[in-house]
Amino acid sequence: MLAEDSTLLREGLVRLLTEEGHEVPAAVADAPGLLRAVEAAPPDLVVVDIRMPPTHTDEGLRAALEIRDRWPEVGVLVLSQHLERHYAAQLLTSGPERVGYLLKDRVAQVGEFLDALERIHAGGAALDPEVVRQLVLRSTHTDPLARLTPRERGVLESLAEGHTNAAIAAHLHISLSAVEKHLGTVFDKLGLRHAAGYNPRILAVLRYLES
């Protein structure tokens, strides 16, 4: 299901997804319409713009968080015109599975957009590479993050985008064992190795978002 107030973008997404073999049972222009559609027939995944009528502030985000609370089996991909770091943090804090945050420019890169949808549908996460890059640049003043080497930052950046260890290895042209070693060092430097009851992979990403 889609929620986007721009008719041009909404219809474009419907056409793209339909041509790629996906079913789009509802495409609406506001957050209340999305919530009604999901309540009537929960889909596998929703794509929702953060800023929607009537105030164009955070209606879409609030709808996304409500969907994650009421229908946790529904994947959620939030689109944003610009980086909204606190919004990204809210989404991931609500749970690390079946969630994504992309800048709208990423939709034009069809392959990456569809890959993000697939990762979310499979139970993972998808964070826009540009969002991760800006978060990395803004976090260098934070002591634990500043201790990471460039390679460790690269591994953590790929992790934050939602990639598996194997995908990180292929992307950075290093071995799987090297990825595992770097992640272990990252978790140690960020003090996440022994965080009882929590997944250190998700905590590492949240550390970026909170810095």
Side-chain angles (χ1 to χ4, degrees):
M1 292 182 178
L2 302 174
E4 166 60 56
D5 62 303
S6 167
T7 302
L8 184 62
L9 179 56
R10 185 173 68 249
E11 295 305 318
L13 286 172
V14 170
R15 180 175 179 179
L16 168 64
L17 292 171
T18 302
E19 289 178 349
E20 291 295 327
H22 300 288
E23 181 183 354
V24 183
V28 300
D30 55 40
L34 175 64
L35 291 173
R36 287 194 297 271
V38 173
E39 185 170 27
D44 293 324
L45 191 147
V46 299
V47 179
V48 55
D49 186 11
I50 281 183
R51 299 181 182 275
M52 302 185 72
T55 68
H56 293 279
T57 54
D58 64 348
E59 285 88 351
L61 175 72
R62 286 189 280 111
L65 293 174
E66 182 173 342
I67 290 169
R68 288 180 61 69
D69 180 58
R70 295 176 60 189
W71 300 281
E73 74 281 2
V74 176
V76 173
L77 175 60
V78 170
L79 301 179
S80 178
Q81 190 67 46
H82 306 288
L83 170 60
E84 305 276 4
R85 184 162 57 165
H86 57 293
Y87 289 160
Q90 279 184 266
L91 275 175
L92 285 182
T93 302
S94 72
E97 296 85 18
R98 301 177 66 80
V99 64
Y101 181 104
L102 294 183
L103 297 180
K104 283 190 175 181
D105 289 346
R106 194 67 52 187
V107 176
Q109 302 178 36
V110 175
E112 294 187 33
F113 174 62
L114 294 175
D115 179 64
L117 293 179
E118 292 296 337
R119 293 211 304 269
I120 294 168
H121 182 257
L127 193 60
D128 193 288
E130 180 61 18
V131 172
V132 175
R133 187 187 72 81
Q134 292 188 39
L135 294 173
V136 170
L137 291 176
R138 294 180 184 186
S139 65
T140 54
H141 67 279
T142 307
D143 286 342
L145 296 176
R147 294 171 57 199
L148 302 182
T149 67
R151 175 60 80 188
E152 290 162 358
R153 282 182 172 277
V155 170
L156 183 51
E157 179 178 341
S158 294
L159 174 67
E161 292 171 18
H163 296 296
T164 63
N165 287 6
I168 294 172
H171 177 66
L172 298 179
H173 306 290
I174 58 178
S175 67
L176 183 58
S177 61
V179 171
E180 294 169 349
K181 179 180 178 181
H182 286 309
L183 283 176
T185 303
V186 168
F187 298 153
D188 286 337
K189 288 184 177 180
L190 298 183
L192 306 176
R193 174 78 78 171
H194 304 294
Y198 294 92
N199 186 330
R201 296 171 70 91
I202 300 305
L203 291 177
V205 174
L206 290 175
R207 184 63 58 87
Y208 264 133
L209 296 173
E210 294 168 351
S211 61

